Amino acid sequence: MNVIVSNKYQTLLSNLNIDVIKNINGVFSVDDLAVQFRNFFYNKMILDLTALENYEDINTIQRLSVALDMNKVILLLDDSPRVNSAMYLSQLVSMGIYNFTKNLDAITFLMDNPNSYKDVASFHQLNMTAEDIARQEQESNYSQGFIGQRIIGVKNLTDHAGSTTLTYLLKKHIENLYKVKAVEIGKHDFVYLNDNGLDSVSSFDLKNYLNKNTDQEVILIDLADEDVEQYCTDVIYLIEPGLIQLNRLIRQDNRVFEKMKGKKMVLNRSVLSNNDVSDFERESGSRVFYNLPNLDDKLDNIKVIKDFLIALGFTRFSDEDKGKSFGIFG
């Protein structure tokens, strides 16, 4: 059985398909965690780094490594520049902490396939000068392996479930706080949206496109019917939950909901209430990651899209809302 310690990523971690014996939420000191878990038997601890008091101070992580068996801990990193700096990541590796990620799917993988030094050696900076350290402390490093750039695919499970419009809406909101591009595969619907940040490529050119855009923090991919999920760090599967669409989907593949277990299945253009969603989950034997209603694609500030992005782990949106609630940004 496993333990989850969460804070900002509570909603994200609630979607992990693992056995959990204990789940706590909040901000804790190293001593708090040591008292709770030093003599507590568990298989793995999933630790949302923001649940650790003063987590940006690498000395806090060092104290944690003394208090707990870090071979049993998987760290979920946040978006802060310090945590993503080459110096911070290098120091994690120097302490023998190899299991860290920003990707929910990577957590599941690391549960059964823990990293060795070889897997994280690229983060280990052995010859950094004082100037390098100063620069890296001020910069985020978003382009190294699974902890960096997020490549999110959006794919229709039912016909015309809205992948193009949702990809566009996500891009419009993300670009306010992240460097982002969006690309569609094998079609040219983006041309009608009049946005220079939207691109169109063939499935054969996708790898080259990604290589040319490693400076982007986020790349959104409207996957259409192309089988290129392997390039994504995360995939959102859209279902429009109308009766005809659902019956057609099940006739095409009566094991579709079984195949969706552990994946992010999103109801889009939905008119279902929370009770309806619960009924849907029970009848289909599946779990819904999010229930999105019909949205006005002409709007630039849609709360439900922001909430959806927070659920996906884009914590700068929660920081933005927190700042506004205290009047910091006017």
Side-chain angles (χ1 to χ4, degrees), residues 7-254:
N7 184 33
K8 283 185 182 179
Y9 290 109
Q10 182 183 21
T11 302
L12 184 71
L13 291 174
S14 69
N15 290 283
L16 274 177
N17 187 24
I18 62 173
D19 293 324
V20 177
I21 192 172
K22 190 168 185 176
N23 191 333
I24 60 175
N25 179 255
V27 178
F28 308 91
S29 69
V30 170
D31 290 340
D32 292 334
L33 295 180
V35 168
Q36 290 200 56
F37 295 107
R38 184 173 286 149
N39 298 313
F40 188 88
F41 178 78
Y42 57 91
N43 180 35
K44 296 289 184 183
M45 174 188 289
I46 315 303
L47 175 56
D48 171 357
L49 201 59
T50 68
L52 189 62
E53 193 175 81
N54 297 322
Y55 67 91
E56 289 190 337
D57 184 348
I58 198 67
N59 293 316
T60 300
I61 310 302
Q62 186 176 32
R63 293 198 303 275
L64 184 72
S65 69
V66 174
L68 299 177
D69 180 0
M70 296 307 289
N71 290 321
K72 298 172 68 174
V73 177
I74 299 173
L75 292 178
L76 180 62
L77 307 184
D78 77 336
D79 287 327
S80 70
R82 184 175 292 273
V83 168
N84 284 272
S85 70
M87 185 63 183
Y88 192 99
L89 301 177
S90 180
Q91 288 174 308
L92 289 182
V93 177
S94 292
M95 285 185 273
I97 299 172
Y98 302 155
N99 295 307
F100 48 86
T101 183
K102 285 177 63 180
N103 186 336
L104 188 69
D105 292 332
I107 291 176
T108 306
F109 179 80
L110 290 172
M111 296 281 291
D112 298 317
N113 304 276
N115 283 334
S116 65
Y117 176 76
K118 180 178 66 175
D119 298 307
V120 294
S122 62
F123 301 110
H124 204 188
Q125 308 291 326
L126 297 174
N127 299 302
M128 294 186 75
T129 66
E131 292 78 10
D132 291 333
I133 292 173
R135 185 183 71 253
Q136 294 290 357
E137 284 293 303
Q138 298 177 28
E139 296 177 355
S140 300
N141 191 343
Y142 292 101
S143 59
Q144 298 191 55
F146 58 79
I147 69 154
Q149 184 184 69
R150 298 189 66 178
I151 302 174
I152 299 177
V154 184
K155 191 177 185 70
N156 292 334
L157 279 186
T158 56
D159 293 338
H160 311 295
S163 65
T164 301
T165 300
L166 182 59
T167 302
Y168 171 62
L169 286 173
L170 294 176
K171 186 260 181 188
K172 280 210 303 183
H173 286 71
I174 290 172
E175 66 188 359
N176 295 319
L177 296 171
Y178 298 81
K179 292 181 65 177
V180 59
K181 280 199 170 185
V183 61
E184 61 181 352
I185 309 298
K187 55 182 184 177
H188 297 280
D189 292 338
F190 277 171
V191 70
Y192 303 109
L193 294 170
N194 299 318
D195 187 325
N196 291 332
L198 302 173
D199 298 309
S200 303
V201 299
S202 70
S203 58
F204 298 105
D205 292 327
L206 178 59
K207 185 175 181 180
N208 185 47
Y209 177 86
L210 296 176
N211 288 335
K212 288 180 178 178
N213 286 283
T214 55
D215 61 322
Q216 301 295 312
E217 296 175 65
V218 183
I219 294 180
L220 301 167
I221 305 177
D222 179 4
L223 294 170
D225 297 322
E226 302 293 338
D227 186 19
V228 290
E229 285 99 327
Q230 69 269 23
Y231 291 107
C232 301
T233 60
D234 216 348
V235 179
I236 300 163
Y237 295 91
L238 300 184
I239 288 180
E240 185 176 344
L243 184 61
I244 292 176
Q245 296 283 32
L246 287 173
N247 286 339
R248 181 180 294 155
L249 177 65
I250 294 169
R251 288 193 180 187
Q252 290 171 345
D253 184 355
N254 59 12

